[in-house]
Amino acid sequence: MSKVIVIGGGAAGLMAGVAAARSGADTIVLERMTEPGRKLLITGKGRCNLTNSCGIQELVKNLPGNGKFLFGALKRFGREELLDLLREGGLDTTEERGGRIFPASGKAMDVIKTFRGLLKSAGARLETGAQVTGLVMDGMKVKGVQFRRLLNDGRKAGQDYRSTELGKVKLGRTETLPADAVIVCTGGASYPGTGSDGNFFAVLEKLGIGMTPLLPALVPLAPEEGFAEDLDGLTLKNVQGTVMSGGKELVSEFGELQFTRGTVAGPISLTMSRKVAQAAAAGADDLELVLDLKPALDREKLDNRLQRDFAEFSKKKLKEVVRKLLPPQLVEPVLDTAYLDGEKQVSQVSREERRQLVEALKTWTIPLTGTRPLAEAIVTSGGVALKGIDPKTMASRQVEGLYFAGEVMDVDGYTGGYNLQAAFSSGYVAGQSAASAGETD
């Protein structure tokens, strides 16, 4: 019987453990934190958006970070296979808006309990509080892992898993476990309070494993200091957001955004953040988020709308009429952009000033410095370079007996269940492959 060690007890690691054990391997999952699946607990606002009901082509499209690499894995173990496995483990699911699929109970903890049960029934062991610090090598072949028991995970009692302010972690003596195959499922470098802090990338780099730079994805955008502070709590629906740099469009999305604690958050901001982070990392210092606050109206129709409003409310102040078009918090910023005095009576507004207002409503601009830090991102863009991984098996092309799955690889997607499905699919393939490749003579 082959011996397989899975490093990491998140979505990919739990799935890899189940798949390897069911394929006949003596399997152990080592999780550095005191409980597995801590990042699962905060996905989907604590409800765990497991996957999406869309087809494979659409799923790959929603994995803009190299989703095509996982096409084979998604065909081999996709949504239906995942849901069948979860039902077998006793977990019912429900589909909601946008094809998002959640546990019927609405509790992420039930997903973790289900996987723990599946691991146990398959004969796999799960050891928590075990931080892997290195790999045991024989040339370029992996022979096992070195790990240390966790005496203190660095969190204060009651501290949220999202916190980046962790104390010092205390570890016991170094121990060694032999293995025929090792699957690395250590995640990215976002939400370090869940155990996903990117520390294992240094171990891989020492082996010569190729890496692509780690960048934040699905993270709020960062406006220039002081720009959005007065807009805190504002939500804008049905707007068109376009990120520009050097006069060129980087990315554009339609939908909802929010101003939260000095950041620009919300669905379209998260979706655009990957491109913004890449541009900022490349040295772009002229990033702008241009908002079309009235995308349903072209400039001519919007001008006609203003003319009608101005005729009807000719004796009112300009700011009072604009308030009929915008949330109160936006009235002054938009008028400032148009260089207009809100105290001015509408009947005194010239044709040119009205055109200035139209332009401000169609191109209200927020200067950006980039995104919020990687530690605050929902997922990590970058990681183990895919050219060094066999997509059919998730095996390393450089180190014999080494496999990868989940966010540790350079694959990432949008919100909606796509990232978790990528983790489950790659974990399943890596688990099965490691079990068969690691069979002893």
Side-chain angles (χ1 to χ4, degrees):
M1 179 183 291
S2 61
K3 294 182 178 180
V4 174
I5 293 176
V6 180
I7 308 175
L14 292 171
M15 178 59 77
V18 171
R22 287 189 166 202
S23 298
D26 178 9
T27 306
I28 181 169
V29 179
L30 299 179
E31 165 57 42
R32 63 178 292 197
M33 307 304 278
T34 54
E35 294 291 336
R38 283 190 174 178
K39 195 171 182 182
L40 279 170
L41 289 175
I42 60 176
T43 59
K45 297 181 180 179
R47 299 174 57 226
C48 193
N49 184 184
L50 290 159
T51 184
N52 196 283
S53 65
C54 68
I56 292 180
Q57 295 286 357
E58 187 68 17
L59 203 155
V60 169
K61 182 180 176 182
N62 281 281
L63 291 168
N66 302 311
K68 290 181 180 179
F69 175 82
L70 291 181
F71 190 85
L74 292 167
K75 287 192 70 175
R76 184 168 161 186
F77 187 84
R79 177 192 68 252
E80 289 306 317
E81 290 78 11
L82 171 64
L83 298 183
D84 285 345
L85 177 66
L86 294 174
R87 278 192 290 269
E88 182 183 333
L91 185 75
D92 292 326
T93 57
T94 183
E95 182 177 336
E96 298 185 9
R97 179 179 57 86
R100 291 170 168 82
I101 296 177
F102 296 85
S105 66
K107 298 177 180 178
M109 181 58 76
D110 289 343
V111 178
I112 297 171
K113 289 178 180 177
T114 299
F115 271 105
R116 294 190 78 149
L118 289 168
L119 283 171
K120 185 176 181 180
S121 63
R125 290 177 292 155
L126 170 65
E127 286 210 24
T128 58
Q131 180 168 333
V132 177
T133 55
L135 299 175
V136 179
M137 302 293 296
D138 180 7
M140 290 304 288
K141 182 176 182 178
V142 67
K143 302 296 288 184
V145 304
Q146 292 178 327
F147 72 99
R148 298 172 70 184
R149 304 283 179 181
L150 194 70
L151 304 178
N152 171 22
D153 69 359
R155 289 195 315 123
K156 297 178 181 178
Q159 188 173 15
D160 191 272
Y161 296 139
R162 297 171 185 260
S163 176
T164 60
E165 299 176 0
L166 300 180
K168 188 175 181 180
V169 175
K170 295 181 181 179
L171 301 171
R173 63 181 177 84
T174 298
E175 302 178 48
T176 300
L177 272 178
D180 299 299
V182 173
I183 309 173
V184 179
C185 305
T186 50
S190 58
Y191 287 155
T194 66
S196 175
D197 62 4
N199 76 92
F200 205 74
F201 286 114
V203 175
L204 298 174
E205 286 183 297
K206 287 181 180 178
L207 294 175
I209 301 294
M211 298 286 169
T212 54
L214 303 182
L215 296 172
L218 299 183
V219 67
L221 306 180
E224 287 187 359
E225 186 175 356
F227 189 88
E229 290 178 358
D230 293 338
L231 302 177
D232 192 50
L234 174 65
T235 295
L236 298 177
K237 297 183 178 180
N238 302 319
V239 296
Q240 186 74 39
T242 303
V243 176
M244 306 288 293
S245 178
K248 296 181 179 180
E249 178 182 315
L250 296 183
V251 60
S252 186
E253 293 288 338
F254 174 82
E256 178 181 316
L257 59 77
Q258 301 154 358
F259 294 87
T260 306
R261 296 186 294 277
T263 72
V264 185
I268 66 172
S269 294
L270 296 182
T271 298
M272 294 189 292
S273 63
R274 187 175 187 273
K275 290 282 189 181
V276 174
Q278 290 175 339
D285 58 2
D286 57 355
L287 294 166
E288 295 179 325
L289 173 60
V290 181
L291 295 179
D292 184 345
L293 300 171
K294 295 295 175 183
L297 302 174
D298 61 24
R299 284 170 172 76
E300 182 179 354
K301 291 180 179 178
L302 182 55
D303 186 46
N304 290 336
R305 161 71 188 273
L306 288 176
Q307 288 185 60
R308 290 195 299 271
D309 287 351
F310 284 9
E312 183 178 357
F313 306 107
S314 61
K315 295 183 180 181
K316 289 185 176 292
K317 295 178 180 180
L318 180 58
K319 66 180 182 182
E320 294 174 332
V321 177
V322 173
R323 196 172 291 141
K324 298 179 182 298
L325 293 169
L326 298 172
Q329 287 168 280
L330 264 190
V331 172
E332 186 175 337
V334 169
L335 288 174
D336 286 346
T337 298
Y339 300 103
L340 296 177
D341 181 4
E343 297 295 326
K344 192 172 187 177
Q345 190 169 315
V346 167
S347 61
Q348 301 301 312
V349 176
S350 68
R351 177 182 179 184
E352 181 57 33
E353 288 174 326
R354 193 182 69 243
R355 294 283 176 83
Q356 290 171 209
L357 178 57
V358 168
E359 195 61 26
L361 289 166
K362 298 294 287 185
T363 61
W364 187 59
T365 300
I366 303 172
L368 301 174
T369 60
T371 69
R372 292 295 298 164
L374 176 55
E376 298 177 21
I378 295 175
V379 298
T380 302
S381 172
V384 177
L386 301 182
K387 64 182 180 181
I389 304 174
D390 183 347
K392 294 181 180 179
T393 61
M394 301 299 144
S396 170
R397 298 186 190 275
Q398 297 158 283
V399 178
E400 186 179 349
L402 189 64
Y403 298 79
F404 302 100
E407 199 178 343
V408 72
M409 302 187 296
D410 184 15
V411 178
D412 63 274
Y414 299 138
T415 57
Y418 310 109
N419 287 294
L420 277 184
Q421 182 63 63
F424 292 134
S425 295
S426 59
Y428 180 85
V429 171
Q432 276 202 337
S433 302
S436 59
E439 290 177 356
T440 55
D441 296 332

